[in-house]
Amino acid sequence: MFQRACLYLLSLSLLLMGCQHMAANPEALQERADARVEQAVAHVWTGELALARTELAGVLEEAPRHPGALKVQTCVLLELGALDEAAGTVDRLREVSPEQPEVAVLSALVEQRRQTPAQDWREALIQAWNQTGRPDFRDAEGFPRPPVDLESFTDAVWKRTQSVEARFTAVLGDGASDARQQWLADHLSEIQAPALLLAAYEYFQPRPEDALNDVRLKARQSLRRRLEPLVAGASDSEGPLLLLLGESAKDAPLMKEELQALERIAALPRFRSLSLAQASAAAKQRLESTGITPQPARLFQAATAWLVLDATLILKKRVEATKDHLSSGERIRLGQSVYTLGARIAEGPMLVDHMVGLSQMRQGAALMDDAAKLAQVTQDLEHARAVYQATSSLQVDTWPLPSLHRDWLQAALDDEWKSLSALVTP
């Protein structure tokens, strides 16, 4: 009994000493609070909102003016539909951090949700952002992030499946070590989906200074043999263009036979056979078959990585290396091919489609010396750049609001260009 009492007193003494040390060390208290807020964000992304709310309440009890905790708590209350409590929390936040631009937008978002709680989250955020002067969040303090996961997304998928297509999809959405790239290269024969074969061909492009360069070259050779019959009769230009230019030096002038092939490719009716929504659905199915539900941003990254565009960048450089070696008539013909192919790309639903396609159209218009086309496409390209700048400024992926991310992702899958254009359209 005496021994237990001594142990109790010793434990109590250590606890009090620890508390005294923490109280005397504000940095330690701040680090502890920050870590708890990060853990709350992790709970938000796993759907454990009650746990997140409890964690944040504990932080705010000890540090009532912690801006990160107040930001995340406001988002949790918004997500739960507790709008009056969210309004009270964001009022406290405005007292603590009135100068932070995301605080003003978050406050306006709370008011938007109180006025029209059934409104689409994406539309509500855009309205709140416009109302507060469209601030740029790129250099702002931002929202707290979840703690860095020691297990990467690729690690988690790799442990759960031997499927090459599922593993490669995870790599497209995250990344892979050299050992895993080697494994993928050794199992490429198991990939059946044509879109994944194209993505793999682009993924394994040579990197002369890379330790795996020989592996990449061998993988490309085997992939090319499989792709050539698949794209021979294609009505989309993505695959044929990649095979035409994928092995060439980026600064080499286009040969006569390549110019002729480019004309045939430009005449095809569309650039891609697979839409972003189809790519996303396929990526989601493959990843969820492993028992893992990817976060929207991870899924979107995996889906967009399927849609190859590297060949267009090679084409732009090779056209530049070619134009001074052509006659006037040949320059016009090349310009027509480049302009038409760019127009096909710009018909796509993604922001990058418009950026790349319009840039290519401008190059084609310049080759044709068509002032009217050049003026129009330059104007369109400036608009696309404004959309890109607005998208970057808003930093939607940092907001700990799962409902917002779901609505934003769905709008992007339906038509990303249309969705993001709303950021710069009055």
Side-chain angles (χ1 to χ4, degrees), residues 1 18-19 74 117 129 210 307 309 329 341 367 376 412:
M1 185 73 176
C19 290
T74 302
W129 186 58
D210 194 313
L307 310 176
L309 279 170
L341 184 58
L367 286 168
Q376 181 60 58

Side-chain angles (χ1 to χ4, degrees), residues 124-194:
L125 178 61
I126 292 173
Q127 288 183 27
W129 186 58
N130 284 327
Q131 287 173 8
T132 51
R134 303 161 61 84
D136 190 338
F137 296 152
R138 283 174 290 187
D139 296 323
E141 184 173 319
F143 291 91
R145 302 292 189 100
V148 176
D149 197 339
L150 297 178
E151 181 181 65
S152 72
F153 181 68
T154 302
D155 289 338
V157 172
W158 218 265
K159 287 179 180 178
R160 290 171 177 255
T161 183
Q162 291 286 321
S163 166
V164 182
E165 293 193 348
R167 286 183 168 188
F168 183 50
T169 300
V171 167
L172 291 177
D174 187 11
S177 64
D178 284 358
R180 286 178 175 166
Q181 292 180 54
Q182 176 72 69
W183 186 91
L184 287 171
D186 292 340
H187 293 79
L188 288 174
S189 61
E190 298 172 40
I191 294 180
Q192 299 300 320

Side-chain angles (χ1 to χ4, degrees), residues 264-279:
R264 292 193 296 271
I265 291 171
L268 295 172
R270 62 177 184 266
F271 183 67
R272 291 198 183 93
S273 60
L274 192 68
S275 70
L276 180 58
Q278 290 170 324

Side-chain angles (χ1 to χ4, degrees), residues 4-20:
R4 289 176 62 188
C6 288
L7 288 172
Y8 171 77
L9 290 172
L10 177 61
S11 299
L12 181 60
S13 174
L14 290 171
L15 178 61
L16 290 173
M17 286 174 63
C19 290
Q20 289 171 358

Side-chain angles (χ1 to χ4, degrees), residues 28-319:
L29 283 172
Q30 182 68 40
E31 289 177 3
R32 179 173 179 270
D34 290 347
R36 294 183 69 184
V37 174
E38 290 175 357
Q39 187 57 52
V41 177
H43 289 320
V44 170
W45 288 119
T46 55
E48 299 168 302
L49 297 178
L51 283 177
R53 190 174 181 180
T54 300
E55 189 77 59
L56 293 165
V59 174
L60 291 170
E61 184 175 346
E62 296 178 2
R65 295 176 63 82
H66 191 291
L70 290 168
K71 288 178 189 177
V72 180
Q73 184 76 303
T74 302
C75 290
V76 169
L77 294 169
L78 276 170
E79 191 73 26
L80 290 169
L83 302 180
D84 289 340
E85 291 180 72
T89 304
V90 83
D91 284 344
R92 291 167 59 193
L93 179 58
R94 293 181 71 179
E95 293 176 3
V96 171
S97 302
E99 75 290 347
Q100 294 182 14
E102 66 271 22
V103 173
V105 178
L106 185 57
S107 178
L109 178 62
V110 171
E111 189 57 32
Q112 285 284 342
R113 299 300 297 174
R114 293 181 80 185
Q115 291 178 4
T116 52
Q119 184 182 24
D120 179 274
W121 281 86
R122 173 187 150 275
E123 292 179 4
L125 178 61
I126 292 173
Q127 288 183 27
W129 186 58
N130 284 327
Q131 287 173 8
T132 51
R134 303 161 61 84
D136 190 338
F137 296 152
R138 283 174 290 187
D139 296 323
E141 184 173 319
F143 291 91
R145 302 292 189 100
V148 176
D149 197 339
L150 297 178
E151 181 181 65
S152 72
F153 181 68
T154 302
D155 289 338
V157 172
W158 218 265
K159 287 179 180 178
R160 290 171 177 255
T161 183
Q162 291 286 321
S163 166
V164 182
E165 293 193 348
R167 286 183 168 188
F168 183 50
T169 300
V171 167
L172 291 177
D174 187 11
S177 64
D178 284 358
R180 286 178 175 166
Q181 292 180 54
Q182 176 72 69
W183 186 91
L184 287 171
D186 292 340
H187 293 79
L188 288 174
S189 61
E190 298 172 40
I191 294 180
Q192 299 300 320
L196 274 186
L197 289 172
L198 269 180
Y201 184 81
E202 183 169 278
Y203 180 82
F204 283 102
Q205 60 183 292
R207 298 175 187 170
E209 298 179 0
D210 194 313
L212 293 180
N213 194 51
D214 289 343
V215 172
R216 293 176 174 279
L217 289 169
K218 184 178 178 181
R220 294 264 287 197
Q221 290 170 0
S222 66
L223 287 164
R224 187 179 185 91
R225 287 193 293 270
R226 295 182 64 191
L227 284 167
E228 283 176 342
L230 292 176
V231 305
S235 56
D236 51 274
S237 50
E238 179 184 40
L241 184 67
L242 186 58
L243 293 190
L244 174 66
L245 302 176
E247 308 297 334
S248 64
K250 294 178 175 61
D251 56 354
L254 291 161
M255 306 299 289
K256 181 178 179 180
E257 59 271 18
E258 291 175 318
L259 290 169
Q260 293 171 345
L262 185 61
E263 285 186 317
R264 292 193 296 271
I265 291 171
L268 295 172
R270 62 177 184 266
F271 183 67
R272 291 198 183 93
S273 60
L274 192 68
S275 70
L276 180 58
Q278 290 170 324
S280 177
K284 183 178 181 182
Q285 186 275 324
R286 288 197 173 94
L287 294 174
E288 288 187 344
S289 70
T290 69
I292 294 174
T293 301
Q295 290 184 13
R298 185 74 67 194
L299 177 61
F300 191 75
Q301 185 175 335
T304 54
W306 282 26
L307 310 176
V308 299
L309 279 170
D310 276 8
T312 63
L313 304 178
I314 298 172
L315 176 61
K316 188 172 184 179
K317 292 180 180 179
R318 294 198 63 189
V319 167

